[in-house]
């Protein structure tokens, strides 16, 4: 068996393992709903900007209107999602991924 064949079989074994399946499940369980939520939030901003101009133009403080606040909140929500994902990955994904990485490294040496 060549090194390349050996490496492929190790990765296939890892991919079929219950730990890897759990890693994928945890990743998808967090990522897919968060992606949908963010896209809905973003599309709400776009739709309101296009079809609810009167609402988006309501002035809140001086020249600052609802549209500007919603636009700034897009940035805030992006940073909050990135922060939340890093916490999720650190607690839920990284321990499993580290374990799998060590197993692969041991098998491929």
């Amino acid at each position: 068996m060549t090194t390349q064949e050996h490496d492929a079989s190790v990765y296939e074994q890892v991919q079929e393992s219950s730990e890897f399946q759990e890693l994928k499940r945890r990743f998808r369980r967090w990522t897919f709903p968060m992606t949908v939520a963010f896209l809905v939030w973003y599309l709400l901003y776009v739709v309101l900007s296009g079809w609810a101009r009167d609402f988006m133009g309501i002035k809140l403080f001086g020249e600052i209107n609802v549209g500007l606040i919603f636009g700034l909140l897009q940035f805030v929500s992006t940073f909050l999602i990135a922060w939340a994902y890093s916490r999720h990955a650190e607690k839920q994904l990284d321990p499993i991924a580290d374990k799998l990485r060590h197993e692969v490294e041991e098998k491929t040496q």
Side-chain angles (χ1 to χ4, degrees):
M1 183 182 312
T2 67
T3 304
Q4 190 174 20
E5 290 172 349
H6 175 72
D7 289 348
S9 66
V10 169
Y11 295 124
E12 289 169 355
Q13 289 172 3
V14 168
Q15 187 176 5
E16 294 170 358
S17 71
S18 61
E19 290 99 355
F20 186 77
Q21 297 303 317
E22 176 65 17
L23 179 65
K24 285 188 349 183
R25 186 185 66 76
R26 288 181 184 192
F27 173 78
R28 289 177 179 165
R29 190 178 64 202
W30 195 91
T31 306
F32 290 168
M34 190 59 66
T35 300
V36 169
F38 180 78
L39 288 175
V40 167
W41 162 237
Y42 175 72
L43 289 174
L44 174 69
Y45 173 67
V46 171
V47 168
L48 288 175
S49 295
W51 285 281
R53 292 179 178 264
D54 292 338
F55 171 70
M56 295 296 269
I58 294 173
K59 294 190 188 250
L60 301 173
F61 315 104
E63 294 299 315
I64 298 174
N65 60 22
V66 172
L68 180 61
I69 297 297
F70 272 36
L72 292 174
L73 286 175
Q74 292 292 317
F75 290 100
V76 172
S77 64
T78 300
F79 288 111
L80 286 175
I81 289 169
W83 172 78
Y85 177 76
S86 70
R87 287 182 47 110
H88 169 74
E90 182 180 349
K91 292 179 181 178
Q92 300 292 323
L93 305 177
D94 290 350
I96 298 172
D98 289 341
K99 181 179 181 232
L100 290 170
R101 181 175 45 89
H102 290 300
E103 288 176 10
V104 169
E105 288 173 350
E106 287 174 3
K107 289 179 183 179
T108 56
Q109 289 181 355

